[in-house]
Amino acid sequence: MTSPSPSTEKGTGRPSADSKSDTTPPPGRSIHTPKSRVAPFSLQSSFPFTVFFAVNFLAALYAPIQDCDEVFNFWEPTHYLNHRFGLQTWEYAPEYSIRSWLYIVIHAMIGKVGSLLSSNKAFEFYMVRTVLAIACAASETRLYSAISRTLNPRIGIMFMMAMVFSPGMFHASVALLPSSFSMYTAMLGTAAFMDWRGGLKTHLGIMWFGIGAIVGWPFSAALIVPLVMEDIFLAYLSMDRSEAAFRYIDGFARSLIVLALQVCIDAFFYHKLVVVPWRIVMYNIFSGSSRGPDIFGTEPWHFYFRNLSLNFNLWFLLAAAAGPLVGAELLLRNRTSAKRTSIRSLVFVSPFYLWLTIFSVQPHKEERFMYPIYPLLSLNAAIALHTLLSYFGTADPRTLMGKIPAKIKLAVVSTFIISAIGVGTLRTIGIVAAYRAPLQVYAPLRRPEFIGSEQTICLGKEWYRFPSSYFLPSGMRAKFVKSAFDGLLPGEFSEAKVGFGFFPGSWLDPSGMNDQNVEDPGKYTDIDHCTFLVDSYFPGAPTSSVEPNHILDTDTWEELQCSNFLDTRHTHLLGRTLWIPDLDIIPVESRRKWGRYCLLRRKQHS
């Protein structure tokens, strides 16, 4: 048995807490001599960052908003802090206070910088998205680097491909959602646990997962469990208990500092002491059958399997197979070092299965709940593909794979990877082309004649696609008119000024709020009071007294701007799933069918 290297703890194969990086040169010797070899498939970190940021920046510019919660729970409060008005959900009512203002303050500061650079509020929106793109790219690069150094550079390349060409990451990377924030911190935390270069970083891993759970989403803390189990087990074997305890105390102390900051900021805004992460857990788990997330809809257990198949296609199949493949590799390997690598790989693929299991058994399901594991899914897929390629690429003539000609192997592997990349790209383009209209039709409101006008823009059946008040000129307010929706719509932050101190809308109790999704008639305005209206028209779609086709009512409304919007009722499954060009060679039944999404203005009658 070989003895452990000086930089590792005896019997564990991992570095001691005070070990230095393997790249540290001896005293008196330059780090450039002798010349180091570059491992196959390795890339300088600047290149992956550039690739990640380029894709994320495109998402910042073009990705449609997938979830109305992103607008009403996060963009609108951010807009309120910078512009003193916005729409308010019941979660921000002081009576319930299950949303933290710390997350909002962070992004409002970015938006404030944007307002100093341009008077166009939409510029603030895209600036916040751009900063999110940078933060996500930095997190992706950190995890990529840890994967390449710890596991294999080829796994790092495959991880990058899965991340860059997946529609799921395209949307999650720049979404203003706590689950996206937790996705960033999960990447940083996983990288800290994974990368033993320069010593153990348990404290940093705990800190990053702690920040993700406190500032982002409390449930994301579950992802740390397999990583902590490995760390504790190895600390027990190495008799490194006092050092391990110190690292855990350090990590928890850093997290508690962030929690204390959050409590102080929330106390300033709510005018009372609240611990928001705990209130979120209480509401979602212990609130009873008449409250809690289930009242907003439930889905079958296989919802996430279908959703992840759409957002990650072949990469999801690989991710699901990673555990069995690594387990088989562990059983078949004989060398101790190879088994150690397989055990570590098994630890890193475990969080994906843990998260998917936990949320698949929950009745209430939403796509954004999977955001924290998108990078871990990509990691699983990369490990699985690497394992398969290692077996598939053997040249030993005594094995079945060794008898297959190399050109056939290359063709099979190339077809698989190109298919995964192509399907992901077509779906991303398809979603942008199909659903980007809500980010486009508000452009006429930026004309000089509308700036500062105290007019009303109304939202009926298209209320849930409103892209936020950032797309409205100063002075214009969004109002709701009655539609077929019978749940609770957002209210408005109080705009009281004299005698109420800072941000009174954050602590004054709004009227008509409840946590049972019960409709409040006071949230509606009469359509006769609307100067502008956003509406959609799909040929053959049913109408009603509360949802007429306003676009066809040319006596009352005129079109300011219209964009195409995918008619999902009349478009074939293939057209709904992927981008299909509107060419004559495409069969008519397979082509995409379109409706119209319009900004309307009330006609002035003399």
Side-chain angles (χ1 to χ4, degrees):
M1 180 180 294
T2 59
S3 60
S5 66
S7 63
T8 62
E9 296 175 357
K10 187 175 181 180
T12 66
R14 71 175 184 170
S16 59
D18 57 352
S19 66
K20 296 181 180 179
S21 170
D22 295 337
T23 60
T24 305
R29 179 173 295 183
S30 169
I31 196 169
H32 300 292
T33 58
K35 188 175 180 179
S36 59
R37 292 187 304 166
V38 178
F41 303 104
S42 65
L43 298 172
Q44 296 297 322
S45 59
S46 59
F47 177 77
F49 176 82
T50 302
V51 173
F52 286 132
F53 174 69
V55 175
N56 295 347
F57 184 60
L58 288 175
L61 295 179
Y62 298 109
I65 297 176
Q66 298 276 79
D67 194 321
C68 65
D69 269 3
E70 179 180 350
V71 171
F72 297 122
N73 275 325
F74 305 105
W75 282 113
E76 285 297 304
T78 303
H79 183 274
Y80 169 71
L81 292 191
N82 285 339
H83 300 280
R84 300 300 189 270
F85 72 90
L87 298 172
Q88 179 185 24
T89 64
W90 67 269
E91 289 100 321
Y92 285 91
E95 179 182 357
Y96 305 106
S97 54
I98 65 168
R99 297 291 183 188
S100 175
W101 283 97
L102 174 58
Y103 180 76
I104 302 301
V105 167
I106 293 171
H107 298 90
M109 292 170 64
I110 301 170
K112 192 64 177 179
V113 173
S115 69
L116 300 177
L117 301 176
S118 173
S119 59
N120 182 354
K121 290 197 298 180
F123 178 83
E124 298 176 40
F125 175 90
Y126 287 109
M127 181 166 181
V128 171
R129 273 193 160 191
T130 300
V131 172
L132 293 176
I134 295 172
C136 186
S139 303
E140 290 170 304
T141 304
R142 175 70 182 100
L143 182 54
Y144 161 83
S145 299
I147 291 169
S148 298
R149 284 195 298 264
T150 304
L151 300 179
N152 191 291
R154 186 168 71 176
I155 296 178
I157 294 293
M158 295 169 185
F159 166 79
M160 185 167 65
M161 286 194 299
M163 294 282 280
V164 166
F165 293 105
S166 295
M169 274 304 303
F170 185 80
H171 295 284
S173 61
V174 295
L176 187 64
L177 287 168
S179 51
S180 283
F181 182 86
S182 295
M183 179 183 73
Y184 305 162
T185 57
M187 285 189 274
L188 297 172
T190 301
F193 276 101
M194 182 183 292
D195 188 4
W196 287 348
R197 188 186 64 164
L200 300 178
K201 304 175 182 66
T202 308
H203 58 297
L204 295 179
I206 293 173
M207 179 193 72
W208 284 120
F209 278 106
I211 292 174
I214 294 166
V215 181
W217 199 25
F219 302 105
S220 65
L223 293 172
I224 201 176
V225 172
L227 305 174
V228 165
M229 289 176 64
E230 180 208 30
D231 191 81
I232 292 175
F233 177 71
L234 293 178
Y236 176 81
L237 290 181
S238 65
M239 305 299 290
D240 179 30
R241 297 169 192 176
S242 59
E243 289 288 341
F246 178 78
R247 292 192 293 272
Y248 278 84
I249 293 172
D250 185 3
F252 281 116
R254 295 171 187 236
S255 300
L256 287 175
I257 291 172
V258 176
L259 179 61
L261 175 64
Q262 182 188 61
V263 170
C264 290
I265 289 178
D266 287 333
F268 171 80
F269 283 100
Y270 285 124
H271 281 207
K272 66 177 183 179
L273 197 64
V274 293
V275 181
V276 170
W278 173 244
R279 294 178 75 90
I280 293 174
V281 172
M282 285 288 292
Y283 174 77
N284 283 276
I285 298 179
F286 304 110
S287 57
S289 59
S290 63
R291 293 175 173 82
D294 293 356
I295 65 175
F296 298 101
T298 60
E299 300 289 345
W301 66 269
H302 50 78
F303 172 84
Y304 289 127
F305 291 84
R306 292 184 285 111
N307 183 265
L308 292 174
S309 296
L310 287 172
N311 283 325
F312 285 87
N313 58 79
L314 297 176
W315 302 113
F316 173 60
L317 299 180
L318 286 170
L325 287 172
V326 173
E329 191 177 37
L330 177 63
L331 295 175
L332 296 175
R333 283 184 168 182
N334 295 321
R335 290 182 302 150
T336 301
S337 60
K339 284 184 176 291
R340 184 181 300 136
T341 301
S342 296
I343 290 173
R344 289 219 78 197
S345 297
L346 204 56
V347 170
F348 297 137
V349 302
S350 298
F352 167 76
Y353 297 105
L354 176 65
W355 188 268
L356 186 59
T357 301
I358 291 174
F359 282 88
S360 290
V361 299
Q362 305 302 315
H364 180 64
K365 299 176 176 67
E366 296 190 41
E367 181 177 325
R368 70 179 188 272
F369 294 171
M370 289 292 107
Y371 285 5
I373 63 160
Y374 279 0
L376 304 181
L377 184 157
S378 299
L379 172 59
N380 277 34
I383 291 174
L385 184 56
H386 172 75
T387 303
L388 289 172
L389 290 180
S390 298
Y391 173 70
F392 199 62
T394 181
D396 188 348
R398 294 171 298 178
T399 64
L400 175 62
M401 287 298 166
K403 297 177 182 178
I404 301 176
K407 291 183 178 180
I408 295 179
K409 293 181 183 179
L410 179 62
V412 171
V413 173
S414 300
T415 300
F416 182 90
I417 294 177
I418 292 173
S419 297
I421 292 174
V423 170
T425 303
L426 288 176
R427 177 160 177 79
T428 299
I429 296 173
I431 291 175
V432 171
Y435 305 116
R436 192 166 177 261
L439 296 177
Q440 298 174 312
V441 299
Y442 292 86
L445 297 179
R446 294 195 286 271
R447 295 174 187 169
E449 64 263 32
F450 299 135
I451 301 298
S453 61
E454 296 185 1
Q455 296 174 314
T456 299
I457 183 169
C458 291
L459 309 166
K461 63 177 181 286
E462 291 298 325
W463 68 270
Y464 60 96
R465 294 192 177 111
F466 177 55
S468 82
S469 297
Y470 280 103
F471 290 81
L472 306 182
S474 299
M476 187 174 292
R477 301 292 190 268
K479 303 288 184 179
F480 299 106
V481 295
K482 178 60 181 171
S483 67
F485 178 72
D486 60 358
L488 181 66
L489 288 168
E492 298 176 12
F493 286 104
S494 173
E495 297 180 34
K497 296 178 181 178
V498 180
F500 288 95
F502 296 103
F503 307 108
S506 66
W507 59 268
L508 289 175
D509 286 311
S511 61
M513 294 296 189
N514 64 80
D515 62 351
Q516 296 176 286
N517 200 29
V518 176
E519 184 178 26
D520 173 30
K523 299 290 192 295
Y524 301 113
T525 191
D526 193 308
I527 196 170
D528 291 336
H529 299 155
C530 304
T531 308
F532 302 93
L533 176 70
V534 176
D535 198 29
S536 61
Y537 169 68
F538 300 98
T543 60
S544 66
S545 59
V546 293
E547 292 188 352
N549 286 324
H550 294 291
I551 294 175
L552 302 183
D553 183 10
T554 55
D555 291 335
T556 306
W557 304 98
E558 62 178 341
E559 298 177 3
L560 281 184
Q561 181 162 323
C562 291
S563 295
N564 285 339
F565 198 94
L566 188 68
D567 186 349
T568 56
R569 293 178 66 250
H570 296 104
T571 299
H572 188 271
L573 175 63
L574 184 62
R576 298 197 305 270
T577 305
L578 305 174
W579 176 75
I580 296 178
D582 190 15
L583 302 175
D584 293 337
I585 60 174
I586 305 296
V588 175
E589 62 273 11
S590 297
R591 295 181 192 173
R592 296 182 134 196
K593 309 300 188 300
W594 299 96
R596 301 170 70 207
Y597 195 93
C598 298
L599 171 66
L600 308 175
R601 178 170 59 179
R602 184 179 295 278
K603 285 186 173 181
Q604 300 295 324
H605 296 286
S606 56

